[in-house]
Amino acid sequence: MQSKHLLFALSAVTLLAVFASCKKSNDNSSAAVSATIGGAAFNPVRTAAAHYAANGYFDLGGLGVNGKDSVLLDITIGTPFTLNKVLDNSGLVTMDYFTATKDYYSAYGIGTATVTVTTLDSVNHKIAGTFSGTLYNSVNDKDSISVINGKFNTAYTEQ
């Protein structure tokens, strides 16, 4: 389980690197990524998405604020996938939500995470869809958080 958790931490670091290298605007009027996480609205101030063709996955998410804490949502979607088909964490989807003090995640055999990719435009590098899940605290499996009404509609970079 530690190695899987390390993989998710590395995904989050990758997403942070994408945040640093992207020229994405802070204007979220189009709500590039949004959800209700733990009962609170998640509307990040920065969003980023990337496609890693060599590894065969998309990584997307957002950096936001909950109260006075910074929070990070990271979603990894493996390829290949079929549009409009529900993908789950049995191999194609992982989801991670970092707060200042906790890491909630879902991966193969831990929690639930679903993603439905509704649009994939590989010419203009855009991806859209929905997501939800129940994520578990990485150090206390009795502590979980729900992710509902998740949506993404964003451009991605090729890495």
Side-chain angles (χ1 to χ4, degrees):
M1 183 157 95
Q2 288 291 51
S3 64
K4 287 182 183 178
H5 182 61
L6 179 60
L7 176 64
F8 303 118
L10 290 174
S11 293
V13 169
T14 300
L15 188 61
L16 287 172
V18 171
F19 279 126
S21 66
C22 284
K23 296 177 184 173
K24 191 81 173 162
S25 165
N26 284 341
D27 174 17
N28 265 357
S29 58
S30 64
V33 177
S34 65
T36 300
I37 302 177
F42 177 75
N43 294 302
V45 294
R46 290 281 287 175
T47 58
H51 176 238
Y52 297 86
N55 299 331
Y57 68 91
F58 287 87
D59 195 23
L60 62 100
L63 180 64
V65 177
N66 185 351
K68 294 181 181 180
D69 291 332
S70 295
V71 292
L72 174 72
L73 175 68
D74 180 40
I75 302 168
T76 304
I77 307 165
T79 58
F81 55 77
T82 303
L83 290 179
N84 298 307
K85 181 179 178 200
V86 176
L87 310 170
D88 62 26
N89 63 327
S90 64
L92 285 178
V93 174
T94 64
M95 197 176 303
D96 226 320
Y97 181 69
F98 294 92
T99 72
T101 59
K102 296 180 181 180
D103 171 19
Y104 293 96
Y105 74 106
S106 176
Y108 185 77
I110 300 167
T112 60
T114 61
V115 171
T116 302
V117 178
T118 57
T119 305
L120 178 61
D121 181 344
S122 60
V123 173
N124 295 305
H125 300 115
K126 296 184 180 191
I127 188 168
T130 60
F131 62 93
S132 64
T134 301
L135 315 180
Y136 284 86
N137 185 323
S138 63
V139 295
N140 177 0
D141 62 4
K142 305 263 187 267
D143 182 18
S144 65
I145 197 166
S146 67
V147 178
I148 60 172
N149 301 321
K151 296 178 185 172
F152 58 92
N153 187 355
T154 188
Y156 64 87
T157 60
E158 286 289 345
Q159 300 294 315

